[in-house]
C-alpha cells in the first residue's frame, strides 16, 4: 500500500549528501510472521501483540466492520503524516464481523489500509476519525471498488472512496527520492588566480510509482550522470571562452557575458510515466543559446522511452507536427513530408529535438541549433491525447485526477485548460528605468496578464487540482531576498490572480569539498495532495523551515501537518533555569524536566502558534509552550529574550 503524504523528520533530511541522494522510504515494513501471505507491498510487518493498546490522551477507540464478502487478512490505521504504515492493528477479520480498535496516536486524520484474503488491497486516504466512530468497509458500485463509511459518535456520516488494486496489478511501491541534476549554474567571476565558483542545486523528487524502485532509481541516476557530464563539458568550453575574452580585452570584459545554466522541469510523475525536460542555456560574449533534452521513463520497469515507443503509428507524426506548425505561422518551420524520420523517433538521445509525455499529450521542442528556429513560439508542438484518440498507447495516456507540470519561463507551453489545448507561458521584462523592478507576464490562450514586481527570479509551474488549473510562480525579491509564491488561475480564458503566499521551494543545504562548495536540493511538487514547501515562522525567532502541504479547492497550499521543521541547527543558550515537557520520537511524554541555565539547545520545529521543539546537546528533545499571541513572546510570563540568548527576529 502506498502513502501519499510524506512527513520528514530532521534526522532523515540530514542524511542526504554529495551528488547522489539516497532513496527515501515510504510506508513500508518487514515481513509479518502471522499474517496470511499476500503480494501486496508495504504491508508485511511484524505481528501485532495480543495485548490491548493503551489509550493515551488524544487517542481514539473505534469499531471497524468488515462489510465485504471476503475475509480481511490485514487492517492498518496510520496517521497521514507518518512515513510508514506500521503494524497491522488486526488480522483475519471474517466477512460481516466487527473489531474494536484503539488508535493511540495524537492524530484525528488517518490513512486506512486493508488487504483481503484474495490479495485485494483497499487504500483510503485522509479519513477523519474521532473517539466512538464506527467504520464500515463496503463494496462499491462496481468491481474493484470500495467505500469506507464513517459514522461519527454524533450521528454524522461520511463516505470515503477506496483505491482498490489486485496483487496481479503492478504493485504500488513507496515514495522514493531520485537524484536529478538541476539548476547547475556556473558564473565566471574571474580573478584568474582561482577557479570559477560553481553552484549546484540537486532535486529530490518524491514520486509515487509502481516499480521495482532499484530499477527506476538506477535509470534516473544514469540520466543525472549524463546531464552532469554534458554540463561540465559546457562549463569547460565556456570558461575557456571567458578567459580568452578577458585576455584579449581586460578593460571591456564582463563576466555577465559568460555562463551556463542547466535546469530540469518535471513534466509528469505518476504510476506510468516519469518525464523530465532539461533546458540548457549557454551565454558566450553576451549571446544566449537555448537547447533542450528530455528523459522519459516507463516507471513500472525504469526503461527509458523513445518517442517511437509511445505512438501507435510513427508515420503520422510528420503530418500531425506540420499541421500544428502551419496553424500558428504560415511561414513557420515544417518537416519535410518526403523524409523518413524514423531514426529520429526511435532515438531517445536525438539532439535535434526533445519530447515529453505530460498530462495533456506529447510535447515536442525543436532545438534552434538543428532547425534554425529562432522564435520560442515556433519551437513547441503539442499533440493532445484527446485531439488524436488512439495515437498514444492507452496505457500511457492515463493520468492522475490531480497533477503538476513544471515548465520553462519564456518558452510557449501547451496545456489542456477546460475543453481545449491552449498556449500558456510566463515571462518577465526588467524595468529599463529601475534595475530593481520588472514586469511579470502570464498568458493563456489569447489573454495576457501583466503585473509590476520587484523580483529577480521567476519559476513557474502548472497545478491542476479539483478540475481547475492554476499557475504557480515562485519569486525572489530584490528588496530582501524574501521568497513568495504567487498563485494565478485560468478562469474562462482569463488569467486571474488568486493570492501571494510566503512559501517557497524548500531548499536544504549540504556542504561539499573543492569545486562543490555548495550543494543544495529541494523538493519538487509532483503530487498536489502532498508536497513539501519552505515557509517562515516567527514564534521563537524568525526562522525559515519546511512542512507538508496539500492544495485546497482554490489551488492554495494549506498545511497537511502541524509542525514546521528546520534543516539546520538554530542554536540558543538558556539564560535561566526553566521547565519543559520531554518528547520521545516527537511524541509528548507528560514528563517534565528542568533545563538549567547555560544549557545549549537547538530549535528544531514549531507549530508557529504556541509550540516550540528544542533538542538538548545530549540528544533529548523537549516541548516548550510559547505565548505567541502578542509581542514580546513569553514562556510562563517571561520574555523569551530573558530566557534565551540567540533570539533573533526580522524587522
Amino acid at each position: 500500500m502506498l502513502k501519499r503524504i510524506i512527513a520528514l523528520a530532521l534526522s532523515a533530511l540530514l542524511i542526504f549528501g554529495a551528488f547522489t541522494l539516497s532513496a527515501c522510504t515510504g510506508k513500508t515494513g518487514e515481513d509479518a510472521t502471522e499474517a496470511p501471505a499476500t503480494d501486496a507491498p508495504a504491508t508485511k510487518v511484524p505481528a501485532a501483540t495480543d495485548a490491548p493498546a493503551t489509550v493515551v490522551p488524544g487517542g481514539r477507540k473505534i469499531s471497524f466492520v468488515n462489510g465485504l464478502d471476503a475475509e480481511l487478512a490485514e487492517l492498518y490505521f496510520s496517521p497521514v503524516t507518518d512515513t510508514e504504515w506500521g503494524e497491522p492493528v488486526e488480522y483475519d477479520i471474517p466477512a460481516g464481523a466487527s473489531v474494536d480498535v484503539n488508535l493511540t496516536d495524537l492524530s484525528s486524520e488517518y490513512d486506512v489500509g486493508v488487504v483481503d484474503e484474495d490479495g485485494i488491497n483497499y487504500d483510503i486516504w485522509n479519513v477523519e476519525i474521532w473517539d466512538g466512530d464506527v467504520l464500515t468497509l463496503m463494496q462499491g458500485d462496481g468491481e474493484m471498488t470500495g467505500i469506507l463509511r464513517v459514522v461519527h459518535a454524533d450521528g454524522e456520516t461520511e463516505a470515503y472512496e477506496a483505491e482498490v488494486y489486485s496483487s496481479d496489478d503492478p504493485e504500488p511501491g513507496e515514495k522514493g527520492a531520485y537524484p536529478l541534476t538541476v539548476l547547475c549554474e556556473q558564473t565566471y567571476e574571474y580573478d584568474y588566480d582561482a577557479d570559477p565558483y560553481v553552484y549546484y542545486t540537486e532535486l529530490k523528487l518524491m514520486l509515487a510509482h509502481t516499480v521495482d524502485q532499484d530499477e527506476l532509481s538506477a535509470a534516473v541516476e544514469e540520466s543525472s550522470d549524463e546531464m552532469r557530464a554534458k554540463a561540465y563539458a559546457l562549463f569547460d568550453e565556456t570558461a575557456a571562452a571567458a578567459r580568452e575574452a578577458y585576455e584579449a580585452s581586460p578593460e571591456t570584459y564582463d563576466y555577465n557575458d559568460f555562463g551556463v545554466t542547466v535546469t530540469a522541469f518535471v513534466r509528469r510523475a505518476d504510476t506510468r510515466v516519469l518525464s523530465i525536460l532539461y533546458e540548457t542555456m549557454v551565454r558566450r560574449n553576451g549571446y544566449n543559446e537555448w537547447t533542450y533534452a528530455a528523459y522519459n521513463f516507463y516507471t513500472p520497469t525504469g526503461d527509458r522511452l523513445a518517442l517511437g515507443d509511445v505512438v501507435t503509428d510513427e508515420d503520422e507524426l510528420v503530418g500531425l507536427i506540420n499541421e500544428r506548425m502551419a496553424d500558428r505561422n504560415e511561414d513557420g518551420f515544417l518537416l519535410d513530408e518526403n523524409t523518413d524520420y524514423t531514426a529520429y523517433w526511435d532515438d531517445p538521445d536525438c539532439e535535434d529535438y526533445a519530447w515529453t509525455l505530460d498530462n495533456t499529450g506529447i510535447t515536442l521542442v525543436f532545438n534552434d541549433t538543428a532547425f534554425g528556429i529562432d522564435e520560442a513560439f515556433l519551437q513547441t508542438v503539442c499533440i493532445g491525447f484527446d485531439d488524436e484518440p488512439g495515437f498514444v498507447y492507452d496505457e500511457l495516456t492515463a493520468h492522475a485526477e490531480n497533477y503538476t507540470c513544471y515548465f520553462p519561463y519564456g518558452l510557449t507551453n501547451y496545456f489542456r485548460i477546460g475543453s481545449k489545448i491552449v498556449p500558456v507561458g510566463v515571462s518577465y521584462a526588467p524595468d529599463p528605468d529601475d534595475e530593481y523592478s520588472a514586469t511579470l507576464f502570464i498568458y493563456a490562450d489569447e489573454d495576457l496578464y501583466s503585473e509590476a514586481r520587484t523580483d529577480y527570479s521567476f519559476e513557474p509551474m502548472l497545478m491542476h487540482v479539483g478540475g481547475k488549473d492554476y499557475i504557480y510562480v515562485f519569486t525572489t525579491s530584490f528588496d530582501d531576498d524574501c521568497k513568495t509564491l504567487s498563485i494565478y488561475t485560468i478562469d474562462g480564458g482569463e488569467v486571474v490572480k488568486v493570492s501571494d503566499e510566503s512559501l517557497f521551494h524548500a531548499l536544504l543545504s549540504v556542504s561539499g569539498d573543492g569545486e562543490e562548495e555548495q550543494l543544495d536540493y529541494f523538493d519538487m511538487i509532483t503530487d498536489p495532495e502532498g508536497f513539501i514547501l519552505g515557509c517562515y515562522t516567527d514564534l521563537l525567532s524568525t526562522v525559515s523551515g519546511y512542512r507538508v502541504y496539500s492544495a485546497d479547492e482554490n489551488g492554495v497550499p494549506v498545511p497537511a501537518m502541524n509542525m514546521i521543521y528546520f534543516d539546520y541547527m538554530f542554536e540558543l543558550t538558556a539564560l535561566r533555569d526553566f521547565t519543559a515537557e520531554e518528547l520521545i520520537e516527537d511524541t509528548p511524554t507528560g514528563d517534565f524536566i528542568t533545563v538549567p541555565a547555560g544549557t545549549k539547545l537547538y530549535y528544531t520545529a514549531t507549530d508557529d502558534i504556541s509550540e516550540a521543539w528544542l533538542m538538548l546537546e545530549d540528544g533529548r528533545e523537549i516541548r516548550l509552550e510559547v505565548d505567541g499571541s502578542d509581542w514580546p513572546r513569553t514562556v510562563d510570563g517571561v520574555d523569551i529574550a530573558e530566557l534565551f540568548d540567540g533570539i533573533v527576529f526580522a524587522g
Side-chain angles (χ1 to χ4, degrees):
M1 286 177 293
L2 169 102
K3 279 299 285 184
R4 287 187 184 276
I5 306 293
I6 296 294
L8 296 178
L10 176 66
S11 59
L13 285 166
L14 292 178
I15 66 171
F16 294 100
F19 269 104
T20 301
L21 300 177
S22 304
C24 133
T25 10
K27 286 222 165 181
T28 59
E30 300 173 359
D31 285 340
T33 56
E34 298 180 11
T38 73
D39 292 326
T43 58
K44 303 184 191 318
V45 295
T49 64
D50 293 329
T54 302
V55 179
V56 300
R60 309 284 188 268
K61 184 173 183 179
I62 66 169
S63 293
F64 181 88
V65 180
N66 177 11
L68 301 174
D69 294 333
E71 180 176 300
L72 302 185
E74 299 167 349
L75 172 64
Y76 296 83
F77 286 88
S78 176
V80 295
T81 55
D82 279 7
T83 59
E84 297 184 357
W85 280 103
E87 299 179 351
V89 297
E90 290 289 341
Y91 296 109
D92 305 331
I93 307 171
S98 66
V99 294
D100 292 332
V101 177
N102 288 328
L103 302 177
T104 61
D105 306 277
L106 299 177
S107 177
S108 62
E109 200 168 7
Y110 291 82
D111 294 329
V112 181
V114 176
V115 184
D116 75 10
E117 60 185 344
D118 299 318
I120 304 299
N121 291 249
Y122 299 80
D123 293 347
I124 307 98
W125 309 111
N126 304 319
V127 181
E128 188 173 335
I129 299 177
W130 299 98
D131 190 52
D133 288 354
V134 177
L135 283 65
T136 304
L137 181 60
M138 305 177 294
Q139 178 70 36
D141 293 335
E143 293 185 9
M144 299 297 288
T145 61
I147 300 293
L148 182 69
R149 184 181 66 189
V150 180
V151 180
H152 297 296
D154 61 4
E156 182 182 351
T157 300
E158 295 183 274
Y160 298 83
E161 185 175 354
E163 289 186 8
V164 185
Y165 53 94
S166 167
S167 57
D168 295 330
D169 295 335
E171 299 175 353
E174 68 271 18
K175 292 197 172 187
Y178 302 103
L180 302 175
T181 301
V182 301
L183 297 173
C184 295
E185 184 170 356
Q186 181 154 340
T187 302
Y188 302 100
E189 302 183 47
Y190 279 106
D191 57 15
Y192 294 104
D193 293 326
D195 291 332
Y197 177 73
V198 183
Y199 178 84
Y200 301 95
T201 301
E202 197 91 346
L203 161 68
K204 183 164 67 67
L205 170 65
M206 306 307 293
L207 172 64
H209 58 86
T210 57
V211 338
D212 176 343
Q213 178 164 338
D214 291 341
E215 294 295 329
L216 181 61
S217 185
V220 176
E221 184 172 356
E222 182 179 351
S223 73
S224 297
D225 291 342
E226 289 179 6
M227 288 306 300
R228 184 178 295 109
K230 292 177 182 178
Y232 269 100
L234 289 172
F235 292 165
D236 292 343
E237 292 171 9
T238 308
R243 184 178 295 276
E244 182 180 343
Y246 176 81
E247 292 174 348
S249 179
E251 62 279 1
T252 61
Y253 172 78
D254 185 348
Y255 69 85
N256 289 307
D257 289 341
F258 297 88
V260 177
T261 304
V262 181
T263 309
F265 302 90
V266 178
R267 305 281 293 179
R268 176 175 166 184
D270 58 30
T271 58
R272 293 299 176 195
V273 173
L274 169 60
S275 187
I276 307 160
L277 177 70
Y278 283 95
E279 179 185 69
T280 299
M281 189 277 287
V282 177
R283 185 174 60 256
R284 295 178 187 169
N285 290 312
Y287 174 74
N288 297 338
E289 178 180 271
W290 285 267
T291 56
Y292 296 88
Y295 288 85
N296 299 279
F297 301 97
Y298 182 57
T299 54
T301 62
D303 290 335
R304 187 174 176 193
L305 297 170
L307 183 55
D309 297 327
V310 306
V311 301
T312 56
D313 188 348
E314 293 184 23
D315 294 337
E316 289 187 30
L317 269 167
V318 172
L320 294 174
I321 291 169
N322 284 347
E323 177 183 318
R324 284 154 179 78
M325 285 291 194
D327 284 347
R328 275 182 277 147
N329 191 316
E330 60 183 17
D331 297 322
F333 157 76
L334 297 177
L335 292 174
D336 184 353
E337 299 277 359
N338 298 315
T339 298
D340 182 2
Y341 290 94
T342 302
Y344 283 66
W345 313 143
D346 291 344
D347 179 9
D349 290 312
C350 181
E351 296 183 354
D352 289 347
Y353 78 105
W355 70 277
T356 60
L357 197 64
D358 54 42
N359 287 286
T360 294
I362 298 173
T363 296
L364 299 98
V365 184
F366 293 95
N367 287 323
D368 53 6
T369 54
F371 294 104
I373 308 170
D374 55 6
E375 293 193 44
F377 78 93
L378 287 178
Q379 285 184 290
T380 6
V381 169
C382 178
I383 304 172
F385 297 137
D386 296 338
D387 292 349
E388 303 294 336
F391 182 63
V392 174
Y393 288 108
D394 289 343
E395 182 183 19
L396 302 178
T397 63
H399 59 265
E401 180 180 350
N402 301 318
Y403 53 84
T404 65
C405 183
Y406 284 83
F407 58 91
Y409 72 82
L411 182 71
T412 299
N413 304 268
Y414 289 86
F415 299 118
R416 179 165 294 284
I417 307 295
S419 61
K420 64 177 182 176
I421 297 174
V422 301
V424 175
V426 173
S427 61
Y428 73 96
D431 187 333
D433 299 321
D434 184 353
E435 61 178 325
Y436 299 109
S437 298
T439 300
L440 170 67
F441 297 99
I442 302 176
Y443 61 90
D445 202 1
E446 298 180 0
D447 186 51
L448 177 63
Y449 173 93
S450 63
E451 179 182 341
R453 304 292 295 246
T454 55
D455 302 303
Y456 65 86
S457 174
F458 299 88
E459 301 169 18
M461 62 168 287
L462 176 79
M463 168 78 73
H464 181 89
V465 60
K468 296 182 179 179
D469 296 281
Y470 301 89
I471 302 295
Y472 279 20
V473 182
F474 294 91
T475 68
T476 304
S477 172
F478 274 118
D479 297 334
D480 51 12
D481 283 338
C482 186
K483 299 180 185 297
T484 301
L485 166 59
S486 296
I487 303 173
Y488 307 83
T489 187
I490 303 171
D491 187 5
E494 182 180 358
V495 178
V496 179
K497 187 165 188 176
V498 175
S499 65
D500 286 325
E501 307 291 332
S502 294
L503 299 170
F504 47 91
H505 282 123
L507 191 64
L508 308 168
S509 299
V510 181
S511 59
D513 299 321
E515 277 193 327
E516 299 170 16
E517 296 179 18
Q518 181 70 53
L519 170 66
D520 293 338
Y521 66 88
F522 64 89
D523 289 274
M524 301 286 275
I525 302 174
T526 57
D527 183 357
E529 298 176 37
F531 51 88
I532 295 174
L533 284 178
C535 56
Y536 300 102
T537 171
D538 60 2
L539 183 68
L540 202 58
S541 277
T542 300
V543 186
S544 63
Y546 59 90
R547 65 175 161 190
V548 176
Y549 291 83
S550 61
D552 68 9
E553 66 277 7
N554 297 313
V556 177
V558 295
M561 63 185 295
N562 291 331
M563 302 305 292
I564 299 170
Y565 294 91
F566 311 128
D567 72 299
Y568 56 92
M569 295 296 189
F570 187 86
E571 186 176 309
L572 300 171
T573 303
L575 296 175
R576 60 171 70 182
D577 296 353
F578 68 92
T579 301
E581 184 178 10
E582 190 170 10
L583 295 169
I584 295 181
E585 295 183 352
D586 295 346
T587 302
T589 62
D591 298 328
F592 288 80
I593 62 174
T594 297
V595 179
T599 300
K600 291 191 180 300
L601 308 103
Y602 302 97
Y603 187 20
T604 60
T606 178
D607 66 356
D608 202 30
I609 300 173
S610 62
E611 191 169 324
W613 292 1
L614 300 104
M615 184 173 66
L616 280 63
E617 287 185 294
D618 61 9
R620 287 180 298 166
E621 292 183 296
I622 58 173
R623 172 179 173 270
L624 195 63
E625 288 287 341
V626 181
D627 183 355
S629 61
D630 202 356
W631 298 93
R633 311 303 201 204
T634 60
V635 174
D636 293 331
V638 178
D639 187 335
I640 59 172
E642 299 177 12
L643 187 61
F644 297 108
D645 179 47
I647 297 294
V648 177
F649 287 102

